[in-house]
Amino acid sequence: MKAYVCTLLMAVALLTVIGCSSALAQDKAKWTGTWKMVPEKSQFANGGGPSSIVIKLELKDGAVTETMTLNGDHSFTATYTTDGKAKSQEVMGNVAETSAKWNGDALSIDFKHEKGGFARTITLSPDGKTMTIAVHHSGENGEADETVILEKQ
């Protein structure tokens, strides 16, 4: 009887781990896709900002690949591992130290180069249709905070 109870408890624990892993994978799957900025809901420092932003995200095997297109004609692709470790990569002609990590349901991405950088905290609405990016910029012209709202396409 004791062996049966131990086996049953181990099976329940295993199913719990599998269920949690499956739920986590499903939640991360919501992130993958194409996201388009909603200009009237976004807030940029000094009233500026791009007229359009399109972000394509792919989350796979502990990495995030992001292709961002600004104003329809400037784009870059960057890949981040989500372990929080910094790596050097070239983005739009600048060599930068980039890192990404999960903070609960939020994805934090840091980008630092010789002239400054930015930190982004990215969250999804519960239904997975709206992405909010809180951006903190720092550089030669000081610091600024911005909020970008995007909808899944």
Side-chain angles (χ1 to χ4, degrees):
M1 180 72 167
K2 192 175 183 179
Y4 172 76
V5 171
C6 286
T7 302
L8 184 60
L9 288 173
M10 287 177 60
V12 168
L14 180 60
L15 288 174
T16 300
V17 168
I18 291 170
C20 289
S21 296
S22 176
L24 183 61
Q26 289 173 356
D27 284 345
K28 300 297 188 256
K30 289 181 183 180
W31 293 73
T32 297
T34 300
W35 300 85
K36 187 175 180 182
M37 180 179 75
V38 181
E40 60 274 9
K41 293 182 180 179
S42 300
Q43 298 175 342
F44 293 97
N46 304 320
S51 60
S52 70
I53 298 175
V54 175
I55 297 175
K56 292 182 183 177
L57 285 181
E58 181 181 6
L59 278 70
K60 187 176 180 182
D61 300 328
V64 177
T65 300
E66 169 187 41
T67 300
M68 181 183 293
T69 304
L70 304 169
N71 299 326
D73 60 355
H74 291 75
S75 66
F76 71 88
T77 299
T79 300
Y80 316 95
T81 57
T82 57
D83 58 8
K85 294 180 182 176
K87 77 175 206 175
S88 182
Q89 61 182 314
E90 185 175 333
V91 178
M92 295 181 76
N94 292 302
V95 175
E97 289 292 316
T98 62
S99 65
K101 65 181 177 178
W102 290 103
N103 290 313
D105 291 337
L107 178 62
S108 298
I109 298 177
D110 291 329
F111 180 97
K112 298 175 186 171
H113 58 86
E114 65 183 34
K115 296 180 182 178
F118 59 84
R120 294 184 286 167
T121 301
I122 308 169
T123 56
L124 292 185
S125 62
D127 65 4
K129 295 180 181 178
T130 303
M131 176 182 285
T132 302
I133 306 176
V135 185
H136 179 78
H137 293 273
S138 59
E140 296 170 336
N141 296 325
E143 297 187 15
D145 292 307
E146 301 175 334
T147 303
V148 183
I149 306 297
L150 302 102
E151 292 180 347
K152 195 165 194 178
Q153 302 301 296

